[in-house]
C-alpha cells in the first residue's frame, strides 16, 4: 500500500472492520492509554477536534450506544451515536451517517499510533484529521 507522509502524519489506504478506508495516522511518544483516554473523553473532543466547539453528552467516557450532539465550528448541531467502542477502536454515526473511525495502536517502543479511518467518500475530510493529530500531539 502506498503511504504519503507529511510532517508527523501518514496517509494510506487500508482495510478496517468497516471496509476499505483512508487511514490518516500519527505516531506519539506517549502511552496508548493516554491517547485512548483523550479520544474517548467527550470533554476533550473540542480540544483536539478542529470542527468541534462543544459536545452535549450524558457520558463523559464513550461506550457503544453513547449518544449526544456535536456543536460544530460552523454553527450547526449534529447528533451522534457511538456504534462500537472496544479494544482501542471506536466508530460512530453522525446525523445517521457512518463517520470516521478512531483507533490507537501500541508500538514496541512504548509509544503509540493514532489512526483516523476516513470513509472513502469523505476523503476530503482527511486534512481535518491531520490537524486533529497535530492538536493531539500538543496535548499528549
Amino acid at each position: 500500500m502506498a503511504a504519503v507522509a507529511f510532517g508527523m502524519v501518514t496517509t494510506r489506504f487500508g482495510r478496517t472492520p468497516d471496509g476499505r478506508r483512508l487511514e490518516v495516522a500519527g505516531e506519539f511518544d506517549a502511552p496508548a492509554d493516554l491517547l485512548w483516554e483523550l479520544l474517548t473523553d467527550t470533554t476533550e473532543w473540542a480540544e483536539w477536534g478542529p470542527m468541534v466547539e462543544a459536545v452535549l453528552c450524558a457520558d463523559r467516557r464513550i461506550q457503544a450506544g453513547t449518544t449526544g450532539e456535536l456543536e460544530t465550528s460552523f454553527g450547526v448541531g449534529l447528533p451522534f451515536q457511538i456504534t462500537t467502542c472496544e479494544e482501542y477502536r471506536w466508530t460512530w454515526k453522525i446525523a445517521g451517517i457512518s463517520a470516521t473511525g478512531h483507533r490507537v495502536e501500541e508500538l514496541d517502543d512504548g509509544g503509540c499510533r493514532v489512526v483516523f479511518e476516513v470513509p472513502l467518500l469523505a476523503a476530503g475530510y482527511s486534512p481535518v484529521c491531520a490537524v486533529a493529530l497535530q492538536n493531539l500531539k500538543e496535548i499528549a
Side-chain angles (χ1 to χ4, degrees):
M1 289 182 199
V4 178
F6 54 101
M8 64 166 253
V9 178
T10 302
T11 303
R12 68 183 187 129
F13 291 101
R15 294 226 177 261
T16 73
D18 297 315
R20 194 160 171 80
R21 298 283 178 114
L22 186 63
E23 296 181 331
V24 182
E27 292 188 6
F28 294 80
D29 293 326
D33 286 341
L34 173 62
L35 274 299
W36 181 246
E37 290 297 319
L38 291 170
L39 291 176
T40 58
D41 182 345
T42 59
T43 67
E44 295 287 342
W45 290 359
E47 296 298 316
W48 57 263
M51 299 184 79
V52 178
E53 289 294 316
V55 178
L56 305 172
C57 183
D59 299 332
R60 178 175 178 173
R61 302 238 181 262
I62 60 166
Q63 57 188 333
T66 295
T67 61
E69 182 174 295
L70 296 176
E71 291 183 15
T72 65
S73 58
F74 46 91
V76 176
L78 297 172
F80 71 84
Q81 178 180 20
I82 305 302
T83 52
T84 64
C85 184
E86 59 189 19
E87 300 175 10
Y88 284 150
R89 182 175 184 269
W90 65 268
T91 59
W92 60 345
K93 289 185 177 183
I94 300 176
I97 299 169
S98 291
T100 299
H102 307 71
R103 77 175 189 263
V104 179
E105 301 170 344
E106 293 181 274
L107 300 175
D108 291 337
D109 65 3
C112 68
R113 179 180 299 112
V114 173
V115 182
F116 293 112
E117 304 168 354
V118 182
L120 296 181
L121 291 176
Y125 189 68
S126 60
V128 175
C129 293
V131 171
L133 287 168
Q134 292 170 355
N135 292 344
L136 283 165
K137 184 78 168 181
E138 292 175 13
I139 297 169

